[in-house]
Amino acid sequence: VPYIDQRLLRNGMILHAQTKGFFGRAIRWALKSWGNHDALLYHEAGSWWVCDAEPPVARLTPWGEWERRMRRGKCQLRFYWPYGAIQMDGNVAVKWWLANVRNAPYDKTAFPRLLWRAVIGPWWKSQAGKDHAWWCTEGVRGAWKFAGFDVWKHNNSTPLDTEEAVGVGGLDDCTDSVLGLIETN
């Protein structure tokens, strides 16, 4: 049984998820990626929250919802942290997300251009959607870019770009230390 060691979580840590629903599978199929969702972790008043840009609006999801999904087999999770970042950088990223992405509409108008990018490649340089709306990875990238860590390096970032950023100079995969297993006998 997997569990999350919450003592190892940090403000701004990137939650990279593989969800089992139709849209999650469709996104992974189009991108040819392991995951289909990115979010930031946020600690406030003794509780962990997930900074989720999901339809219809970007919001804070209680950590317990993601943990229940994982325990029920509805998702798998990975945890990433930008190389060279310190806790203060994570705090800056989260504060930016809360001020700029939270309560904004989900950017569903970007999907045709993102699908085109998945098929043709990342040659489309301009922003795919609306300036006032966000999709998951776009909000995560914006937050960390503001904090000084743009490991995605281009507009229209997707969960595949997050996966490609894992490695030296990009994102550190903290999954093995954050995820543990409870042995049941």
Side-chain angles (χ1 to χ4, degrees), residues 16 31-33 80 117 122 151-152 154 158-168 170-171:
H16 185 68
L31 296 175
K32 297 171 184 56
S33 62
Y80 302 140
R117 178 186 181 272
V151 300
W152 295 266
H154 56 78
T158 67
L160 177 61
D161 297 305
T162 301
E163 292 170 15
E164 290 174 347
V166 174
V168 177
L171 296 172

Side-chain angles (χ1 to χ4, degrees), residues 21-35:
F22 172 78
F23 289 109
R25 287 192 313 273
I27 291 168
R28 290 192 310 277
W29 175 82
L31 296 175
K32 297 171 184 56
S33 62
W34 177 88

Side-chain angles (χ1 to χ4, degrees), residues 14-184:
I14 300 163
L15 173 78
H16 185 68
Q18 179 190 84
T19 61
K20 306 299 182 186
F22 172 78
F23 289 109
R25 287 192 313 273
I27 291 168
R28 290 192 310 277
W29 175 82
L31 296 175
K32 297 171 184 56
S33 62
W34 177 88
N36 56 275
H37 183 66
D38 290 313
L40 297 178
L41 299 180
Y42 171 53
H43 192 264
E44 180 182 62
S47 297
W48 281 101
W49 298 85
V50 179
C51 301
D52 273 326
E54 294 183 314
V57 297
R59 67 190 176 289
L60 292 177
T61 304
W63 169 250
E65 284 187 32
W66 277 98
E67 201 164 30
R68 278 189 293 283
R69 288 181 200 171
M70 183 187 72
R71 289 179 190 236
R72 292 180 182 151
K74 305 251 183 219
C75 71
Q76 291 180 310
L77 305 176
R78 292 182 179 169
F79 299 87
Y80 302 140
W81 185 258
Y83 277 107
I86 61 174
Q87 185 57 52
M88 179 64 77
D89 300 319
N91 293 340
V92 168
V94 166
K95 286 184 181 193
W96 186 92
W97 192 96
L98 293 170
N100 294 280
V101 180
R102 183 181 185 186
N103 296 325
Y106 186 76
D107 198 350
K108 59 184 178 261
T109 62
F111 273 96
R113 286 177 75 178
L114 292 174
L115 180 59
W116 182 259
R117 178 186 181 272
V119 173
I120 303 299
W123 61 270
W124 204 316
K125 303 295 182 207
S126 64
Q127 189 60 36
K130 298 178 180 178
D131 290 338
H132 66 280
W134 301 87
W135 66 87
C136 65
T137 308
E138 180 188 32
V140 170
R141 179 199 178 225
W144 273 107
K145 182 179 178 183
F146 183 80
F149 294 85
D150 187 11
V151 300
W152 295 266
K153 298 187 183 358
H154 56 78
N155 286 334
N156 307 318
S157 297
T158 67
L160 177 61
D161 297 305
T162 301
E163 292 170 15
E164 290 174 347
V166 174
V168 177
L171 296 172
D172 184 19
D173 188 344
C174 306
T175 305
D176 289 342
S177 48
V178 172
L179 273 182
L181 293 176
I182 300 172
E183 291 187 31
T184 57

